[in-house]
Amino acid sequence: MNIAFFLLPKQEVVCVTENATFRQTLERMEHHRYTAVPVISEKGEYRATVTEGDLLWFLKNNPELSFDQLHRVSLSEVPLRMNNRSVRIDADMEDLITLAKTQNFVPVVDDMNHFIGIVRRSDIIDYCEKLLLPGSKTEAKLMKEA
């Protein structure tokens, strides 16, 4: 089994670019109801992951900012507290699972560090459930989808 089996391709992943504003980032996260999203460079490289917590701590530490001013704040000004590491598409499954234990999703990159998608921890758990619990609801659902 390889990482590509679990890959959600970048076309289906909600991301922000590193030159996005605070407000654009916040609105994108709110619209899609995500608490964290990958940050991608203009060249398509994975840079980091921004979380709701990062945005909230920035607001707390900058009380002079009003919501109306957030379009003037660059995402690059927001300190990111989590170091969500990426994994290369050709990495071992052990590497992916090690990261997935502490990250809700693992960004996946190619050999040039270009972002190609994510692997969600929930997808790994669903797969393991199917293997461990034959006859489970997950197995029935997967059989129905096939």
Side-chain angles (χ1 to χ4, degrees):
M1 166 125 352
N2 65 37
I3 292 171
F5 178 80
F6 295 103
L7 186 71
L8 182 66
K10 70 178 176 182
Q11 297 87 335
E12 298 177 32
V13 178
V14 174
C15 304
V16 294
T17 60
E18 62 187 346
N19 66 357
T21 67
F22 185 111
R23 186 166 179 164
Q24 289 169 328
T25 303
L26 182 64
E27 288 176 348
R28 190 161 180 88
M29 291 172 74
E30 177 188 28
H31 175 76
H32 293 282
R33 303 188 67 159
Y34 288 128
T35 60
V37 294
V39 179
I40 310 302
S41 77
E42 288 300 315
K43 293 181 181 179
E45 299 166 318
Y46 172 71
R47 291 290 191 220
T49 296
V50 61
T51 68
E52 283 180 335
D54 297 329
L55 302 177
L56 289 170
W57 283 109
F58 185 83
L59 286 174
K60 178 196 172 282
N61 294 325
N62 294 279
E64 72 284 356
L65 282 176
S66 70
F67 185 76
D68 292 336
Q69 298 169 322
L70 296 180
H71 69 281
R72 294 187 194 127
V73 177
S74 171
L75 180 58
S76 62
E77 297 174 54
V78 177
L80 304 180
R81 297 174 180 271
M82 298 285 295
N83 181 21
N84 277 20
R85 294 186 28 227
S86 63
V87 67
R88 283 183 35 162
I89 189 68
D90 59 355
D92 294 328
M93 285 299 293
E94 289 177 42
D95 297 333
L96 173 67
I97 291 170
T98 298
L99 292 176
K101 287 192 290 187
T102 59
Q103 298 175 194
N104 284 332
F105 65 85
V106 179
V108 181
V109 297
D110 64 14
D111 59 350
M112 302 286 288
N113 197 42
H114 289 109
F115 179 75
I116 58 175
I118 63 170
V119 173
R120 296 178 291 209
R121 178 171 44 197
S122 62
D123 291 338
I124 296 170
I125 293 170
D126 287 345
Y127 178 79
C128 292
E129 179 186 30
K130 180 184 135 219
L131 292 177
L132 295 172
L133 304 172
S136 69
K137 290 178 187 176
T138 302
E139 183 183 47
K141 182 181 176 188
L142 290 172
M143 299 280 272
K144 198 184 250 188
E145 291 174 353

